[in-house]
Amino acid sequence: MAIQTSIPVNFDAYFPRGAFMVGEVEPVAKWSDDGQRQGQDLDKRTGHPLWQVRIIDADPDAKKGQGEVTVKIASITEPTAPPETQGLPFRPVVFDGLSVTPYVKETGGRPRVAYSLRATEMKPAPKTRGGE
């Protein structure tokens, strides 16, 4: 039997060099079949509202175009963005309950495997050695 749910993955395994949030936390829009916006989408498993954040993978070897990903978070309340670091628009974050769901994405008429990321919680990354 094929896996029917997302695959749990350790944050450090998926983002070995860390991750940085850019922009703001945003609600995930729910769309009707005819393309009309119908408010905020809900997580199918928990029923909680879905939020999304844009993340930059800190790995310098991340492939072009794949260095920025979106992580969705199911939460009753809007997740709180960590404070900016040294006035930069990048915020170091970690995710608890991270999972991936593989899917096929058509790009330029050629299918490729892509991954949808979900988490249960977003937190500020712990300070590294040499930090403030």
Side-chain angles (χ1 to χ4, degrees):
M1 173 183 233
I3 296 174
Q4 299 294 316
T5 62
S6 59
I7 303 164
V9 63
N10 180 284
F11 174 83
D12 293 325
Y14 198 91
F15 295 106
R17 303 292 292 270
F20 295 91
M21 178 184 159
V22 292
E24 301 297 327
V25 175
E26 299 175 347
V28 175
K30 180 178 182 175
W31 300 94
S32 67
D33 291 338
D34 62 355
Q36 300 295 315
R37 188 174 176 149
Q38 295 183 316
Q40 188 168 359
D41 203 3
L42 302 176
D43 181 67
K44 290 174 180 67
R45 189 176 56 79
T46 65
H48 296 160
L50 282 173
W51 308 88
Q52 62 188 7
V53 293
R54 290 179 24 236
I55 301 298
I56 293 178
D57 188 338
D59 185 349
D61 294 328
K63 293 180 181 178
K64 183 178 180 181
Q66 294 179 351
E68 184 176 314
V69 297
T70 299
V71 177
K72 293 181 181 178
I73 304 164
S75 176
I76 294 173
T77 59
E78 181 176 340
T80 303
E84 291 180 355
T85 301
Q86 300 171 349
L88 297 174
F90 307 109
R91 300 174 177 125
V93 295
V94 295
F95 293 98
D96 286 339
L98 188 64
S99 64
V100 299
T101 303
Y103 65 96
V104 176
K105 181 177 183 176
E106 294 284 335
T107 52
R110 300 184 68 194
R112 69 174 182 85
V113 175
Y115 300 94
S116 174
L117 297 171
R118 294 266 181 130
T120 57
E121 185 178 6
M122 175 178 67
K123 300 188 293 193
K127 293 188 188 280
T128 58
R129 282 182 274 161
E132 297 175 9

